[in-house]
Amino acid sequence: MFSKEILLKNKIPKFTYKKKDVLFRENETASCLYYLLDGEVKIYNTDCEGKEFLITKVTDHQFLGEPPFLLNEKYPATANIASDTALIYKFSQESFRKFLDDNPEYQFKFLKEIAQKAYDKTIKLKSIVHQNPCERIIAFLRTHKKNTGVQEDEKIIIDVTRKELANSTGLAIETVIRTVKKMEREQKIELINHKIYF
């Protein structure tokens, strides 16, 4: 969405993070809006026993934490760096308002990005509530491809573990393993070196 040039021109502070660095923690009040220019960030919840539940992975040219930042609320999840390094720009409330005032052409793009995320979450919730395991996994695979900029008819290796797939679909790992094998037999997916090709 934003280019490096527009961020530099507007003097938005830039930070380089390393793998496993934490950007924000669940229940912290949002003070910054993060823009990931390069890298990958894992967003997850932790239950009372310390078990992690993956919500999503965010990649290049995406925002993190927009709703709590805009509403001055607490982050509903934790975010940490999943790639070896990540280049992230941080907006304060004041700098983000000024950026949008100075660059009005980005206001609608920002609204569309928030709307897309809300839409994707609605589809994900619908699949968890209404669909069988196969349909949930297919919905996840389609959304994953869309979020990584891959056309629907193009096949790629889906680089997620069975555990991440289980957390993202609300299924047990055992159910994911059984369903993925069944989907392979039914030729809905292919497996290449234990990775889903879809």
Side-chain angles (χ1 to χ4, degrees), residues 24 30 32-34 43 58 63-71 73 75-76 79 110 117:
F24 53 81
C32 297
L33 176 63
Y34 299 91
I43 300 179
V58 179
F63 285 101
L64 295 105
E66 308 94 313
F69 171 77
L70 294 170
L71 298 169
E73 288 286 349
Y75 292 111
F110 182 69
K117 286 183 177 180

Side-chain angles (χ1 to χ4, degrees), residues 81-147:
I81 307 303
S83 51
D84 290 335
T85 61
L87 183 60
I88 295 178
Y89 288 79
K90 281 188 188 181
F91 291 88
S92 66
Q93 290 280 353
E94 184 181 326
S95 67
F96 191 63
R97 279 196 206 103
K98 183 174 183 340
F99 179 87
L100 291 179
D101 287 344
D102 294 346
N103 303 279
E105 68 275 18
Y106 286 102
Q107 292 178 17
F108 188 66
K109 290 179 183 179
F110 182 69
L111 285 173
K112 274 187 77 173
E113 185 163 320
I114 290 176
Q116 184 65 57
K117 286 183 177 180
Y119 178 79
D120 290 345
K121 285 183 181 177
T122 302
I123 296 298
K124 184 176 181 179
L125 181 60
K126 179 182 169 187
S127 77
I128 289 171
V129 173
H130 298 294
Q131 297 175 346
N132 66 41
C134 178
E135 290 170 334
R136 288 190 200 186
I137 291 170
I138 293 287
F140 170 85
L141 297 174
R142 286 185 177 139
T143 301
H144 181 81
K145 281 171 56 170
K146 183 178 177 184
N147 290 343

Side-chain angles (χ1 to χ4, degrees), residues 17-18 20-36 40-46 52 55-58 62-70 73-82 88-91 117 121:
Y17 291 88
K18 295 177 184 169
K20 296 190 178 179
D21 283 349
V22 175
L23 285 181
F24 53 81
R25 294 186 191 283
E26 192 171 348
N27 294 321
E28 283 181 353
T29 300
S31 58
C32 297
L33 176 63
Y34 299 91
Y35 185 73
L36 175 62
E40 184 178 70
V41 175
K42 176 175 79 169
I43 300 179
Y44 61 93
N45 290 114
T46 309
E52 288 183 10
I55 297 170
T56 190
K57 283 186 177 178
V58 179
Q62 290 187 49
F63 285 101
L64 295 105
E66 308 94 313
F69 171 77
L70 294 170
E73 288 286 349
K74 294 180 179 180
Y75 292 111
T78 299
N80 66 13
I81 307 303
I88 295 178
Y89 288 79
K90 281 188 188 181
F91 291 88
K117 286 183 177 180
K121 285 183 181 177

Side-chain angles (χ1 to χ4, degrees), residues 11 17 46 52 72 78 93 115 141 151 159 176 191-192 198:
K11 298 180 178 149
Y17 291 88
T46 309
E52 288 183 10
N72 198 30
T78 299
Q93 290 280 353
L141 297 174
Q151 296 298 318
D159 192 22
V176 167
L191 291 178
I192 299 174
F198 177 78

Side-chain angles (χ1 to χ4, degrees), residues 135-170:
E135 290 170 334
R136 288 190 200 186
I137 291 170
I138 293 287
F140 170 85
L141 297 174
R142 286 185 177 139
T143 301
H144 181 81
K145 281 171 56 170
K146 183 178 177 184
N147 290 343
T148 53
V150 176
Q151 296 298 318
E152 191 172 334
D153 59 347
E154 184 182 344
K155 289 189 171 185
I156 62 165
I157 295 285
I158 307 293
D159 192 22
V160 294
T161 65
R162 299 297 188 264
K163 181 180 177 185
E164 291 169 340
L165 187 54
N167 291 342
S168 295
T169 56

